[in-house]
Amino acid sequence: MAEISEHNLYDINDLVAKWEKGWRELAKFGKAVCPLKLENSADRSKPPVDRILLAFQDVLDPFFGIGKSIGIPQFCPDSTEILNLVASSSGKPYEVSARGTTLLTMEWYRLGAWSKSKPRLRKVLDKVTNAFATSESYQEVLRKIATKGNVRRFRDFWSQRDACWSKGEYLSHKIEPRLKSIMRWLECGLNSKQACDKAWWNCLWLYMEPEIEAILAIKKQVDTGTPLWREQIDKLKYYMPYGYPGLSVLTEDDAGAHRIHVALKPRITEIMTKWSPFKVMSIALLVQPAFMLAQQLQDFFPKKPRYLRQCRAPSCKKWFYTGRKDATNCPGSRGGKKNKCSLQWNRYKRYLQKVGNNPEKDWHNEKLQEEFISYDKS
């Protein structure tokens, strides 16, 4: 693989290859690709304990941070509330005061006076990240981070404010494996500055994994000429507004060769400074692979019309793009061997004819689809 630079297009496989060489390779490349000076948890000038605190808050944010992509329930306690609970003990009961008169908390949405001590903050973060990494549910996390009395006071306070999670929905929520892995890395990141860097880039990759897998699947289909689903087209379209193509002339050693590259738009990057640094770096790394796939897709079908069709197999019903105007089911049949959607559509057609319906007009009737699925299983 050629060395990746802004003058040398890289695809999703190249990016994965960088990661497989180690987190340092990804870090080196990420810093070269991203034009922004990342803040918050990505700011290497901050002490590890401060960076891990910011990363922990990012991970548990279900609206704007990493938490949105890893299944953090929307109506869950704020990360600050959880940390204040962890800081409580049998000798220091959990309390909340709007006027900030208690030792434990200043306001419910701010860390208490205890957090001014770096050793104590580190101890609290170590305890809570370990609890998330080793628990199966949020109920188990609460049991590990505080005494029964403080957990009860914690729940009582928020149940009085009609918090959804305090009624049980949040407590029964399962902790996903990806969240456990991220928390393990955050726990390790407290040990040193280098450990913190390693943890940050590993957390980034865990955050990016679903996007990486989705783009790899798109590339596989584009490479084989297999039509894409509408959701896959939307995935590529998501990244397009963040970048713009440019024409770069290479060095004299390359005899004046030129290549198209993609860079983040300056105006977009101004807005991105307020986003999670994990999201910003993810976009910076994936804009170009997405652009390449969109370009490859266009080159592969320069004149052939593309149609959006819905699979007529009742158990599928996905939307896909195809060059055939009369396509009726998901692509995938090879060498005369039909795929499962094609086989089910043929059975469904015969069923519709049998019950006196027109397959071409009535195939999308949801009631008929449900009746056929029950009939097909019997």
Side-chain angles (χ1 to χ4, degrees):
M1 181 184 73
E3 184 63 26
I4 298 173
S5 73
E6 67 172 346
H7 307 299
N8 187 359
L9 283 175
Y10 65 94
D11 65 15
I12 192 66
N13 288 334
D14 296 328
L15 185 59
V16 172
K18 279 287 182 185
W19 168 251
E20 289 174 346
K21 289 182 178 180
W23 69 270
R24 287 186 180 84
E25 280 292 314
L26 182 67
K28 179 182 176 181
F29 177 54
K31 291 169 187 174
V33 168
C34 185
L36 296 174
K37 182 182 182 300
L38 298 184
E39 304 292 338
N40 299 320
S41 64
D43 185 351
R44 297 184 73 251
S45 67
K46 295 181 182 295
V49 66
D50 291 338
R51 290 182 63 188
I52 296 302
L53 170 62
L54 290 165
F56 177 79
Q57 293 171 331
D58 199 349
V59 169
L60 289 192
D61 185 341
F63 298 103
F64 305 105
I66 298 182
K68 187 175 181 179
S69 75
I70 58 176
I72 300 296
Q74 291 189 357
F75 299 102
C76 67
D78 184 83
S79 58
T80 301
E81 301 163 31
I82 293 176
L83 291 171
N84 280 329
L85 174 61
V86 181
S88 65
S89 65
S90 57
K92 294 180 180 177
Y94 174 81
E95 296 178 80
V96 174
S97 171
R99 295 187 178 183
T101 57
T102 67
L103 175 65
L104 185 61
T105 62
M106 297 180 68
E107 289 93 11
W108 68 267
Y109 55 88
R110 292 176 60 186
L111 292 178
W114 62 267
S115 63
K116 303 302 180 183
S117 167
K118 294 296 183 185
R120 188 160 185 206
L121 177 58
R122 186 188 187 283
K123 184 177 179 180
V124 165
L125 287 169
D126 184 73
K127 186 175 183 179
V128 73
T129 51
N130 180 267
F132 271 99
T134 58
S135 299
E136 298 301 320
S137 68
Y138 286 76
Q139 174 117 23
E140 189 178 347
V141 170
L142 292 185
R143 288 173 184 161
K144 291 180 178 180
I145 63 176
T147 64
K148 289 182 179 180
N150 281 329
V151 170
R152 186 184 67 253
R153 280 184 280 273
F154 182 69
R155 292 187 63 183
D156 287 347
F157 176 84
W158 291 105
S159 63
Q160 291 169 12
R161 282 149 182 78
D162 203 31
C164 293
W165 67 265
S166 64
K167 296 181 175 64
E169 291 89 340
Y170 167 81
L171 296 177
S172 62
H173 194 86
K174 299 296 181 183
I175 297 176
E176 295 186 7
R178 196 155 54 111
L179 175 56
K180 290 185 180 183
S181 296
I182 287 174
M183 288 296 184
R184 287 191 187 96
W185 279 114
L186 293 183
E187 183 183 8
C188 294
L190 291 164
N191 295 326
S192 66
K193 189 169 184 177
Q194 180 175 310
C196 189
D197 285 341
K198 183 177 181 180
W200 196 91
W201 287 97
N202 275 276
C203 286
L204 171 71
W205 195 259
L206 284 164
Y207 166 65
M208 292 174 61
E209 267 187 343
E211 293 293 294
I212 297 287
E213 291 171 2
I215 295 175
L216 283 170
I218 293 172
K219 177 170 175 54
K220 183 177 180 180
Q221 289 182 229
V222 171
D223 287 344
T224 58
T226 303
L228 301 181
W229 310 118
R230 181 168 62 181
E231 292 83 357
Q232 292 174 308
I233 293 289
D234 290 343
K235 178 70 67 179
L236 298 181
K237 287 169 63 177
Y238 169 80
Y239 288 100
M240 295 300 100
Y242 294 111
Y244 68 94
L247 196 63
S248 295
V249 178
L250 303 190
T251 63
E252 294 180 2
D253 295 336
D254 295 295
H258 61 271
R259 296 214 176 96
I260 295 176
H261 70 276
V262 177
L264 293 178
K265 291 181 179 178
R267 289 184 181 178
I268 292 291
T269 56
E270 290 175 10
I271 299 172
M272 291 169 72
T273 56
K274 299 178 182 179
W275 294 354
S276 161
F278 292 106
K279 181 177 180 179
V280 175
M281 183 57 74
S282 173
I283 289 173
L285 290 170
L286 293 175
V287 161
Q288 191 154 279
F291 171 82
M292 282 195 69
L293 282 171
Q295 185 67 56
Q296 187 178 344
L297 188 64
Q298 180 177 336
D299 292 343
F300 194 77
F301 300 103
K303 297 179 180 179
K304 196 173 183 179
R306 308 294 290 166
Y307 300 98
L308 179 63
R309 292 291 179 263
Q310 186 177 24
C311 180
R312 296 187 181 184
S315 61
C316 180
K317 297 190 289 186
K318 287 183 178 179
W319 290 87
F320 60 95
Y321 282 84
T322 177
R324 288 178 51 206
K325 189 175 183 178
D326 59 347
T328 56
N329 51 263
C330 294
S333 299
R334 291 288 185 273
K337 185 177 180 181
K338 296 183 179 296
N339 63 19
K340 62 180 183 179
C341 288
S342 179
L343 293 171
Q344 189 183 56
W345 164 234
N346 286 337
R347 294 197 303 274
Y348 185 39
K349 278 194 297 185
R350 291 194 294 269
Y351 171 80
L352 291 174
Q353 292 168 344
K354 182 178 178 180
V355 297
N357 292 93
N358 186 330
E360 292 301 315
K361 294 181 179 180
D362 302 324
W363 66 268
H364 51 71
N365 185 297
E366 291 186 1
K367 184 178 179 181
L368 289 172
Q369 289 174 341
E370 290 173 2
E371 290 173 352
F372 166 75
I373 290 173
S374 298
Y375 166 83
D376 201 37
K377 289 180 178 178
S378 62

PDB file of all heavy atoms in Angstrom, residues 139-154:
ATOM      1  N   GLN A 139     -28.395  -1.425  36.689  1.00  0.00           N
ATOM      2  CA  GLN A 139     -28.697  -1.750  38.082  1.00  0.00           C
ATOM      3  C   GLN A 139     -27.437  -2.293  38.775  1.00  0.00           C
ATOM      4  O   GLN A 139     -27.116  -1.925  39.904  1.00  0.00           O
ATOM      5  CB  GLN A 139     -29.806  -2.807  38.147  1.00  0.00           C
ATOM      6  CG  GLN A 139     -30.079  -3.315  39.542  1.00  0.00           C
ATOM      7  CD  GLN A 139     -31.489  -2.984  40.008  1.00  0.00           C
ATOM      8  OE1 GLN A 139     -32.379  -2.766  39.211  1.00  0.00           O
ATOM      9  NE2 GLN A 139     -31.663  -2.938  41.290  1.00  0.00           N
ATOM     10  N   GLU A 140     -26.729  -3.161  38.049  1.00  0.00           N
ATOM     11  CA  GLU A 140     -25.497  -3.728  38.601  1.00  0.00           C
ATOM     12  C   GLU A 140     -24.433  -2.657  38.782  1.00  0.00           C
ATOM     13  O   GLU A 140     -23.670  -2.687  39.755  1.00  0.00           O
ATOM     14  CB  GLU A 140     -24.994  -4.854  37.693  1.00  0.00           C
ATOM     15  CG  GLU A 140     -23.849  -5.648  38.277  1.00  0.00           C
ATOM     16  CD  GLU A 140     -23.402  -6.801  37.386  1.00  0.00           C
ATOM     17  OE1 GLU A 140     -24.143  -7.131  36.432  1.00  0.00           O
ATOM     18  OE2 GLU A 140     -22.326  -7.343  37.641  1.00  0.00           O
ATOM     19  N   VAL A 141     -24.379  -1.704  37.857  1.00  0.00           N
ATOM     20  CA  VAL A 141     -23.422  -0.600  37.975  1.00  0.00           C
ATOM     21  C   VAL A 141     -23.667   0.175  39.269  1.00  0.00           C
ATOM     22  O   VAL A 141     -22.738   0.451  40.039  1.00  0.00           O
ATOM     23  CB  VAL A 141     -23.521   0.355  36.765  1.00  0.00           C
ATOM     24  CG1 VAL A 141     -22.707   1.631  37.018  1.00  0.00           C
ATOM     25  CG2 VAL A 141     -23.020  -0.327  35.502  1.00  0.00           C
ATOM     26  N   LEU A 142     -24.936   0.523  39.519  1.00  0.00           N
ATOM     27  CA  LEU A 142     -25.259   1.287  40.731  1.00  0.00           C
ATOM     28  C   LEU A 142     -24.872   0.523  41.993  1.00  0.00           C
ATOM     29  O   LEU A 142     -24.405   1.122  42.963  1.00  0.00           O
ATOM     30  CB  LEU A 142     -26.749   1.628  40.757  1.00  0.00           C
ATOM     31  CG  LEU A 142     -27.243   2.628  39.710  1.00  0.00           C
ATOM     32  CD1 LEU A 142     -28.714   2.943  39.938  1.00  0.00           C
ATOM     33  CD2 LEU A 142     -26.427   3.909  39.722  1.00  0.00           C
ATOM     34  N   ARG A 143     -25.057  -0.782  41.977  1.00  0.00           N
ATOM     35  CA  ARG A 143     -24.691  -1.590  43.145  1.00  0.00           C
ATOM     36  C   ARG A 143     -23.192  -1.538  43.419  1.00  0.00           C
ATOM     37  O   ARG A 143     -22.755  -1.632  44.571  1.00  0.00           O
ATOM     38  CB  ARG A 143     -25.114  -3.042  42.934  1.00  0.00           C
ATOM     39  CG  ARG A 143     -26.620  -3.271  43.002  1.00  0.00           C
ATOM     40  CD  ARG A 143     -26.940  -4.696  42.621  1.00  0.00           C
ATOM     41  NE  ARG A 143     -28.382  -4.939  42.590  1.00  0.00           N
ATOM     42  CZ  ARG A 143     -28.944  -5.961  41.959  1.00  0.00           C
ATOM     43  NH1 ARG A 143     -28.181  -6.842  41.304  1.00  0.00           N
ATOM     44  NH2 ARG A 143     -30.254  -6.113  41.968  1.00  0.00           N
ATOM     45  N   LYS A 144     -22.400  -1.420  42.338  1.00  0.00           N
ATOM     46  CA  LYS A 144     -20.947  -1.441  42.491  1.00  0.00           C
ATOM     47  C   LYS A 144     -20.349  -0.083  42.841  1.00  0.00           C
ATOM     48  O   LYS A 144     -19.232  -0.015  43.360  1.00  0.00           O
ATOM     49  CB  LYS A 144     -20.297  -1.968  41.199  1.00  0.00           C
ATOM     50  CG  LYS A 144     -20.558  -3.445  40.950  1.00  0.00           C
ATOM     51  CD  LYS A 144     -19.885  -3.903  39.662  1.00  0.00           C
ATOM     52  CE  LYS A 144     -20.094  -5.400  39.425  1.00  0.00           C
ATOM     53  NZ  LYS A 144     -19.444  -5.881  38.187  1.00  0.00           N
ATOM     54  N   ILE A 145     -21.066   0.986  42.539  1.00  0.00           N
ATOM     55  CA  ILE A 145     -20.450   2.309  42.704  1.00  0.00           C
ATOM     56  C   ILE A 145     -20.869   3.028  43.983  1.00  0.00           C
ATOM     57  O   ILE A 145     -20.281   4.060  44.329  1.00  0.00           O
ATOM     58  CB  ILE A 145     -20.747   3.227  41.498  1.00  0.00           C
ATOM     59  CG1 ILE A 145     -22.254   3.501  41.364  1.00  0.00           C
ATOM     60  CG2 ILE A 145     -20.166   2.651  40.221  1.00  0.00           C
ATOM     61  CD1 ILE A 145     -22.603   4.472  40.255  1.00  0.00           C
ATOM     62  N   ALA A 146     -21.881   2.526  44.686  1.00  0.00           N
ATOM     63  CA  ALA A 146     -22.334   3.241  45.884  1.00  0.00           C
ATOM     64  C   ALA A 146     -22.993   2.282  46.869  1.00  0.00           C
ATOM     65  O   ALA A 146     -23.391   1.174  46.516  1.00  0.00           O
ATOM     66  CB  ALA A 146     -23.310   4.353  45.488  1.00  0.00           C
ATOM     67  N   THR A 147     -23.124   2.724  48.101  1.00  0.00           N
ATOM     68  CA  THR A 147     -23.790   1.919  49.124  1.00  0.00           C
ATOM     69  C   THR A 147     -25.295   1.866  48.840  1.00  0.00           C
ATOM     70  O   THR A 147     -25.832   2.715  48.121  1.00  0.00           O
ATOM     71  CB  THR A 147     -23.574   2.535  50.515  1.00  0.00           C
ATOM     72  OG1 THR A 147     -24.198   3.841  50.557  1.00  0.00           O
ATOM     73  CG2 THR A 147     -22.095   2.676  50.828  1.00  0.00           C
ATOM     74  N   LYS A 148     -25.972   0.888  49.447  1.00  0.00           N
ATOM     75  CA  LYS A 148     -27.415   0.752  49.251  1.00  0.00           C
ATOM     76  C   LYS A 148     -28.158   2.015  49.680  1.00  0.00           C
ATOM     77  O   LYS A 148     -29.095   2.461  49.015  1.00  0.00           O
ATOM     78  CB  LYS A 148     -27.943  -0.445  50.043  1.00  0.00           C
ATOM     79  CG  LYS A 148     -27.534  -1.799  49.483  1.00  0.00           C
ATOM     80  CD  LYS A 148     -28.153  -2.926  50.301  1.00  0.00           C
ATOM     81  CE  LYS A 148     -27.759  -4.290  49.730  1.00  0.00           C
ATOM     82  NZ  LYS A 148     -28.360  -5.406  50.519  1.00  0.00           N
ATOM     83  N   GLY A 149     -27.722   2.591  50.796  1.00  0.00           N
ATOM     84  CA  GLY A 149     -28.384   3.795  51.288  1.00  0.00           C
ATOM     85  C   GLY A 149     -28.254   4.959  50.322  1.00  0.00           C
ATOM     86  O   GLY A 149     -29.225   5.677  50.058  1.00  0.00           O
ATOM     87  N   ASN A 150     -27.061   5.141  49.764  1.00  0.00           N
ATOM     88  CA  ASN A 150     -26.856   6.247  48.826  1.00  0.00           C
ATOM     89  C   ASN A 150     -27.564   5.997  47.500  1.00  0.00           C
ATOM     90  O   ASN A 150     -28.072   6.934  46.880  1.00  0.00           O
ATOM     91  CB  ASN A 150     -25.364   6.483  48.611  1.00  0.00           C
ATOM     92  CG  ASN A 150     -24.749   7.270  49.752  1.00  0.00           C
ATOM     93  OD1 ASN A 150     -25.421   8.098  50.367  1.00  0.00           O
ATOM     94  ND2 ASN A 150     -23.486   7.005  50.051  1.00  0.00           N
ATOM     95  N   VAL A 151     -27.599   4.753  47.044  1.00  0.00           N
ATOM     96  CA  VAL A 151     -28.349   4.432  45.819  1.00  0.00           C
ATOM     97  C   VAL A 151     -29.832   4.719  46.047  1.00  0.00           C
ATOM     98  O   VAL A 151     -30.519   5.268  45.171  1.00  0.00           O
ATOM     99  CB  VAL A 151     -28.137   2.955  45.415  1.00  0.00           C
ATOM    100  CG1 VAL A 151     -29.107   2.572  44.299  1.00  0.00           C
ATOM    101  CG2 VAL A 151     -26.711   2.731  44.951  1.00  0.00           C
ATOM    102  N   ARG A 152     -30.328   4.365  47.233  1.00  0.00           N
ATOM    103  CA  ARG A 152     -31.740   4.620  47.533  1.00  0.00           C
ATOM    104  C   ARG A 152     -32.017   6.124  47.540  1.00  0.00           C
ATOM    105  O   ARG A 152     -33.009   6.591  46.966  1.00  0.00           O
ATOM    106  CB  ARG A 152     -32.105   4.021  48.885  1.00  0.00           C
ATOM    107  CG  ARG A 152     -33.609   4.131  49.201  1.00  0.00           C
ATOM    108  CD  ARG A 152     -33.955   3.614  50.585  1.00  0.00           C
ATOM    109  NE  ARG A 152     -33.390   4.453  51.639  1.00  0.00           N
ATOM    110  CZ  ARG A 152     -32.364   4.098  52.402  1.00  0.00           C
ATOM    111  NH1 ARG A 152     -31.785   2.907  52.249  1.00  0.00           N
ATOM    112  NH2 ARG A 152     -31.907   4.918  53.338  1.00  0.00           N
ATOM    113  N   ARG A 153     -31.143   6.906  48.188  1.00  0.00           N
ATOM    114  CA  ARG A 153     -31.338   8.349  48.213  1.00  0.00           C
ATOM    115  C   ARG A 153     -31.241   8.944  46.805  1.00  0.00           C
ATOM    116  O   ARG A 153     -31.977   9.870  46.450  1.00  0.00           O
ATOM    117  CB  ARG A 153     -30.289   8.998  49.131  1.00  0.00           C
ATOM    118  CG  ARG A 153     -30.638   8.904  50.613  1.00  0.00           C
ATOM    119  CD  ARG A 153     -29.618   9.657  51.469  1.00  0.00           C
ATOM    120  NE  ARG A 153     -28.420   8.855  51.668  1.00  0.00           N
ATOM    121  CZ  ARG A 153     -28.281   7.972  52.662  1.00  0.00           C
ATOM    122  NH1 ARG A 153     -29.264   7.772  53.517  1.00  0.00           N
ATOM    123  NH2 ARG A 153     -27.169   7.288  52.805  1.00  0.00           N
ATOM    124  N   PHE A 154     -30.332   8.396  46.029  1.00  0.00           N
ATOM    125  CA  PHE A 154     -30.153   8.829  44.634  1.00  0.00           C
ATOM    126  C   PHE A 154     -31.443   8.604  43.839  1.00  0.00           C
ATOM    127  O   PHE A 154     -31.946   9.506  43.164  1.00  0.00           O
ATOM    128  CB  PHE A 154     -28.992   8.034  44.036  1.00  0.00           C
ATOM    129  CG  PHE A 154     -28.633   8.384  42.616  1.00  0.00           C
ATOM    130  CD1 PHE A 154     -28.063   9.604  42.310  1.00  0.00           C
ATOM    131  CD2 PHE A 154     -28.828   7.471  41.589  1.00  0.00           C
ATOM    132  CE1 PHE A 154     -27.695   9.921  41.007  1.00  0.00           C
ATOM    133  CE2 PHE A 154     -28.467   7.771  40.283  1.00  0.00           C
ATOM    134  CZ  PHE A 154     -27.894   8.999  39.998  1.00  0.00           C
TER     135      PHE A 154
END
